[in-house]
């Protein structure tokens, strides 16, 4: 079953901006899709049974081998593909638990590494979203809050707010 059929017509994906202690950004070069051969942020789809912030930690680990913690939500990229598919991407800020030992996912990626934002701006193969994020003078990070229960009748097994 293709991913388009499996995902239906509303997609929810996540992406992680992982910043090193030196301010370098973790970027990957994909082997497939619209970003094939371009530098972009690690990303992937939210799976059943996980929150979006859990998904981004999983995706970064799968693609690069790095364990990270979520610092907050940066923003949303949303669009419609071919006037039919709602394509939504939540972008999170992450902090690596350690910066060494990047091991990229060979079947999905050509490469993964930390690069200085200034270096990425000079890259012709950097995604448009990377250029946009780098050119922002300041990003606002919305922290998460995990201490609320909206009511047992909803039966949430996980419930987080980003405000």
């Amino acid at each position: 079953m293709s991913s388009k059929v499996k995902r239906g017509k509303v997609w929810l994906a996540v992406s992680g901006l992982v910043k090193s202690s030196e301010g370098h950004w973790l970027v990957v070069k994909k082997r497939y899709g619209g970003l094939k051969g371009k530098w972009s942020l690690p990303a992937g789809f939210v799976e059943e049974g996980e929150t979006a912030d859990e998904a981004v930690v999983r995706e970064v680990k799968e693609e690069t081998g790095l364990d990270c913690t979520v610092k907050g939500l940066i923003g949303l990229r949303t669009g419609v593909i071919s006037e039919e598919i709602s394509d939504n991407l939540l972008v999170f800020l992450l902090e690596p638990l350690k910066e060494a030992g990047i091991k990229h996912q060979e079947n999905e990626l050509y490469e993964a590494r930390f690069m200085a934002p200034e270096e990425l701006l000079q890259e012709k193969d950097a995604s448009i979203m990377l250029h946009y994020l780098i050119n922002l003078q300041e990003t606002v990070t919305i922290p998460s809050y995990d201490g609320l229960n909206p009511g047992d009748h909803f039966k949430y097994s996980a419930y987080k707010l980003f405000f």
Side-chain angles (χ1 to χ4, degrees):
M1 179 182 289
S2 80
S3 68
K4 284 189 177 184
V5 172
K6 182 176 131 186
R7 305 229 175 268
K9 295 189 187 246
V10 179
W11 295 354
L12 181 60
V14 290
S15 184
L17 170 52
V18 182
K19 289 186 179 181
S20 73
S21 56
E22 298 171 340
H24 292 179
W25 293 17
L26 180 64
V27 289
V28 299
K29 204 175 251 197
K30 297 209 184 290
R31 290 185 180 269
Y32 64 92
L35 291 173
K36 180 178 181 177
K38 291 196 176 293
W39 290 111
S40 61
L41 298 176
F45 289 102
V46 177
E47 300 292 345
E48 289 180 27
E50 67 184 354
T51 60
D53 56 310
E54 291 168 344
V56 75
V57 169
R58 175 186 51 77
E59 282 292 341
V60 170
K61 172 79 170 177
E62 285 176 4
E63 290 189 5
T64 68
L66 293 183
D67 290 305
C68 295
T69 57
V70 173
K71 304 309 284 180
L73 178 67
I74 296 174
L76 165 70
R77 191 264 300 135
T78 185
V80 177
I81 299 170
S82 301
E83 299 181 9
E84 183 178 27
I85 296 170
S86 175
D87 181 22
N88 304 284
L89 177 79
L90 295 168
V91 182
F92 290 90
L93 177 64
L94 284 82
E95 184 179 304
L97 298 180
K98 63 179 180 135
E99 296 172 19
I102 295 174
K103 293 175 72 172
H104 71 277
Q105 194 174 31
E106 298 273 342
N107 59 332
E108 287 191 16
L109 304 175
Y110 290 116
E111 194 176 351
R113 64 180 159 124
F114 280 104
M115 290 176 72
E118 310 77 54
E119 186 183 354
L120 280 166
L121 274 180
Q122 304 306 313
E123 279 284 334
K124 65 176 179 19
D125 289 334
S127 74
I128 193 166
M129 191 173 79
L130 265 181
H131 278 273
Y132 181 82
L133 283 170
I134 293 166
N135 283 318
L136 285 176
Q137 294 304 317
E138 192 175 315
T139 57
V140 175
T141 304
I142 303 164
S144 71
Y145 185 71
D146 199 3
L148 293 175
N149 179 352
D152 292 338
H153 59 287
F154 287 111
K155 299 191 180 347
Y156 279 103
S157 53
Y159 186 85
K160 299 175 183 174
L161 299 177
F162 286 83
F163 284 104

